[in-house]
Amino acid sequence: MDKLSSTTLLPDPFQDTRNDITGQIGLIWQHIKSPLIVPLLRLAIVVSLTMLVMLFIERVYMGIVIVLVKLFGRKPEKRYKWEPIRDDVEMGNSVYPMVLIQIPMYNEKEVYQLSIGAACGLSWPSDRIIIQVLDDSTDTTIKDMVELECERWASKGINIRYQIRDNRNGYKAGALKEGMKHSYVKHCDFVAIFDADFQPEPDFLRRTIPFLFHNPEIALVQARWKFVNSDECLMTRMQEMSLDYHFTVEQEVGSSNYAFFGFNGTAGVWRIAALNEAGGWKDRTTVEDMDLAVRASLKGWKFLYLGTLEVKNELPSTFKAYRYQQHRWSCGPANLFRKMVMEIIRNKRVSLWKKVYVIYSFFFVRKIIAHIVTFFFYCIIMPATVLVPEVEIPKWGAVYIPSIITILNSVGTPRSLHLMVFWILFENVMSLHRTKATFIGLLEAGRVNEWVVTEKLGDALRTKVTTKALKKPPLRIGERIHLLELGFGAFLFFCGCYDVAFGKNHYFIYLYLQSIAFVVMGFGYIGTSFPTLSKTCELDTLA
């Protein structure tokens, strides 16, 4: 048999260019574009625009509700019974309910004194409060320091307990669950939870406990977060914009309309009876707080959000810490949705309207659609239309709806309106990681239970090292370079150049800016660079 020549392997149109690789690729592209690429891209646009409209309707709806709440809504003190718990001469301090304060910790060298000190400074009768420090630290030096701090406060008459366990199963959920097993907890009516970097004001309990004390249907009172380091760098400003919308709009709407929202895991007070009825803490996902909130809501309990009560805390200021945090915050809700959607549908104790809100609005649109459409539409589909001019995105989908969504998202932080362009570019880059984490959660893939403790630096330590650290960032090239971001940066830059040369969409300005954002973050030049302070950011998995 004669050897097959190259001419028998290539269609006739390819013969003239068989020695020209670029020409061959171009011809292959032309042959598959019309029958395959164009229909697929058009389908992707329809799906993306549908998701975008869903997100748009959700944002407009919440915007209308929050305006009505601000204009006509009654304050929490008017919607629920509230009056301060007053001293009683005959009953003494027994008129005050017994409160447990839980502070979960893990190698919190930089902030443990702040959180313990703030908890010990709460204005509440000393014989009606128990402060429980749940220390899972693996560094023996830090454990000794935390224990010594607890002993120091105990010597001042504070009822503080230092609790450790011989494993870290379930991480935070496991520590909180173990803490509830101690015999003295059975005397407590309510439990307040503060992460290691949270510093409540002295009147925190006096402003929250009366709601629970006088309204037996309320299970949770959640306070707002106040960020002490929001002005530290551009990345913390971007985080503040996203989280302020969550607290200003999402939490407020959920509390006002449905008496339900996702517990933020800290700066909140639970009725222990409600916590127990819901099944207590579970470590099946990386969002044990949201898991507990959904289960308690399905039991018919109500939640209350106090937007006027703020608790100081710290935002992650390094890109590495923020990426790990966002993976957990995106993967966990998607995985919880997978586990609980049928349970929510079958539940008979809550109304159909509330089920629709939890499944569609709370989970599907905010925790899944928002991440997926942001990444695929703005970082893949829109750039791809530059390469396929036969496919166009309608102007309302490419410009008008995204602009309105962006404006609505900015209402939480009006002081940062001038940073809106940076926020859009930053969120689009982070949508890459959130989308990946969302699919991991939905599919229960390998990293579904990955937990990395968010690194906290503390104000005192930050003040000492910031200047030096900014001048001499650590030269760890392997840790600073992120190939996924750099790859998308190169893709967007190529699409921008193609649009300039051959395109008609005029997307190149956006494409160039977005590619720069991907490259900058791909090289790790965002956030604050600190020297390695301690092993506070370790990988762990749920047991």
Side-chain angles (χ1 to χ4, degrees), residues 235 239 286-287 316-333 430 433-434 436-437 447-455 478-479 482 485 536-540:
M235 192 182 78
Q239 293 178 66
T286 56
V287 283
S317 57
T318 64
F319 187 43
K320 177 181 178 181
Y322 184 62
R323 284 181 66 190
Y324 279 126
Q325 182 202 66
Q326 291 302 296
H327 173 85
R328 188 172 76 245
W329 286 7
S330 302
C331 178
M430 291 308 303
H433 301 286
R434 293 174 183 144
K436 181 173 67 172
R447 293 178 59 197
V448 66
N449 285 331
E450 179 185 87
W451 188 297
V452 178
V453 181
T454 303
E455 186 177 27
E479 289 187 5
H482 307 290
E485 285 93 334
T536 56
C537 196
E538 294 188 12
L539 182 72
D540 199 6

Side-chain angles (χ1 to χ4, degrees), residues 408-427:
L408 292 174
N409 281 338
S410 68
V411 299
T413 318
R415 78 184 186 98
S416 297
L417 284 175
H418 63 291
L419 299 175
M420 187 59 63
V421 172
F422 296 101
W423 180 78
I424 294 171
L425 300 176
F426 175 77
E427 285 293 294

Side-chain angles (χ1 to χ4, degrees), residues 284-285 334-343 444 449:
R284 56 181 177 171
T285 71
N335 190 234
L336 182 62
F337 176 70
R338 171 192 170 115
K339 293 179 184 297
M340 292 205 68
V341 62
M342 294 309 300
E343 183 179 344
E444 285 198 322
N449 285 331

Side-chain angles (χ1 to χ4, degrees), residues 385-409:
T385 59
V386 171
L387 307 178
V388 187
E390 295 90 340
V391 180
E392 292 186 9
I393 301 175
K395 187 172 291 186
W396 61 265
V399 179
Y400 300 145
I401 284 184
S403 298
I404 295 173
I405 292 175
T406 301
I407 293 171
L408 292 174
N409 281 338

Side-chain angles (χ1 to χ4, degrees), residues 102 134 172-182 279-282:
Q102 288 187 313
L134 305 170
K172 180 180 175 181
L176 294 171
K177 184 177 182 179
E178 189 71 22
M180 297 299 293
K181 295 180 180 179
H182 294 280
W281 294 102
K282 293 185 179 181

Side-chain angles (χ1 to χ4, degrees), residues 341-486:
V341 62
M342 294 309 300
E343 183 179 344
I344 297 170
I345 292 173
R346 290 192 294 263
N347 185 274
K348 299 184 183 302
R349 298 187 62 173
V350 299
S351 66
L352 176 62
W353 182 243
K354 190 169 185 178
K355 289 182 185 179
V356 172
Y357 171 75
V358 174
I359 293 175
Y360 175 78
S361 180
F362 180 77
F363 273 117
F364 191 60
V365 176
R366 296 186 212 168
K367 311 300 182 186
I368 298 175
I369 292 297
H371 303 324
I372 292 176
V373 73
T374 301
F375 172 63
F376 280 103
F377 186 66
Y378 299 114
C379 300
I380 294 180
I381 294 175
M382 187 178 288
T385 59
V386 171
L387 307 178
V388 187
E390 295 90 340
V391 180
E392 292 186 9
I393 301 175
K395 187 172 291 186
W396 61 265
V399 179
Y400 300 145
I401 284 184
S403 298
I404 295 173
I405 292 175
T406 301
I407 293 171
L408 292 174
N409 281 338
S410 68
V411 299
T413 318
R415 78 184 186 98
S416 297
L417 284 175
H418 63 291
L419 299 175
M420 187 59 63
V421 172
F422 296 101
W423 180 78
I424 294 171
L425 300 176
F426 175 77
E427 285 293 294
N428 286 348
V429 176
M430 291 308 303
S431 70
L432 165 65
H433 301 286
R434 293 174 183 144
T435 300
K436 181 173 67 172
T438 298
F439 280 115
I440 289 174
L442 289 173
L443 301 175
E444 285 198 322
R447 293 178 59 197
V448 66
N449 285 331
E450 179 185 87
W451 188 297
V452 178
V453 181
T454 303
E455 186 177 27
K456 307 173 188 73
L457 302 171
D459 292 335
L461 185 59
R462 178 180 284 104
T463 301
K464 295 178 183 178
V465 303
T466 297
T467 303
K468 181 178 180 181
L470 289 174
K471 291 180 179 178
K472 298 181 179 180
L475 298 175
R476 296 180 179 179
I477 303 300
E479 289 187 5
R480 293 185 66 94
I481 292 180
H482 307 290
L483 296 180
L484 206 54
E485 285 93 334
L486 293 177

